[in-house]
Amino acid sequence: MPASQPRSRARDRNNVLNRAEFLSLNQPLKGNQESRSSSRKQSGQAGAAGAQNANPKERRQSQQLPEEDCMQLNPSFKGIAFNSLLAIDICMSKRLGVCANRASSWGGARSMINLLGITGHGIPWIAGTLICLVKSSTLAGQEVLMNLLLALLLDIMIVAGLQKLAKRKGPYDVNPGLLDYLTMDTYAFPAGHASRVAMLSKFFLNHLVLAIPLRILLVLWALCVGFSRVMIGRHHITDVLSGFVFGYLQFRLVELIWMSSNTCQMLISIW
């Protein structure tokens, strides 16, 4: 043991790292650590003071941000279902837009589909109703025609108002025609043609005596006109379906405010 101690001491003396100029390499600088810890404390205190001096609105916003992020990352079941149905509607409407342009798969039939759509437009129906009203000589015919004219005008105003509120674009970038601008049918939801043909078919089925084949043809005409708007890319499927619903509701509204024969005669005399 006594011989080993002098050897260890001699080894320590010969070790270069034990010299005074190399001691700083072996030992951490206490001053630097203290200065770093003090600077961290000062920055923490400054941050706390800044947070205390911050606006209450900013603090509320910073507290609300994590909740908003959680709401976006964890949407509700209703939101997921609505977005899924919307995506399916857009995808199916684009697939069924076979006449959206000349380069489409059924582009050659676009003119025929447009002609079918004109049969459900508001302007030809209003003009035809006015001509029939002028030529009509029976009180019953004038009563039906006056109420039909009221239904057509209500349809244009209601659909135009709903489209201005929704402002939904169609599945394809198809410019509205001149007749569409005249009836303010420039947006997609709800489909004006669909609401009109649904209202007209229900009106004729209730107030005209038609044979069964004509009734079937009337319903088929309404369905074809409605879905022709999807084929040319002007409306989504949900736009057409909602148009059918609104058309039926408009028919019920006209039935509630049905004008009597005397009221029709008075309006015709004023006109």
Side-chain angles (χ1 to χ4, degrees), residues 175-191:
N175 294 323
L178 178 61
L179 294 178
D180 296 327
Y181 281 111
L182 290 176
T183 55
M184 297 173 287
D185 187 9
T186 55
Y187 291 101
F189 180 87

Side-chain angles (χ1 to χ4, degrees), residues 142-163:
Q142 292 175 355
E143 179 183 352
V144 172
L145 289 170
M146 280 296 295
N147 284 280
L148 177 60
L149 181 62
L150 173 65
L152 291 169
L153 295 175
L154 281 176
D155 173 74
I156 291 176
M157 291 187 292
I158 291 172
V159 170
L162 291 173
Q163 287 187 357

Side-chain angles (χ1 to χ4, degrees), residues 139 142-144 146-147 257-267:
L139 296 179
Q142 292 175 355
E143 179 183 352
V144 172
M146 280 296 295
N147 284 280
I257 60 174
W258 184 269
M259 294 185 294
S260 63
S261 179
N262 294 331
T263 305
C264 295
Q265 291 300 313
M266 182 183 66
L267 292 174

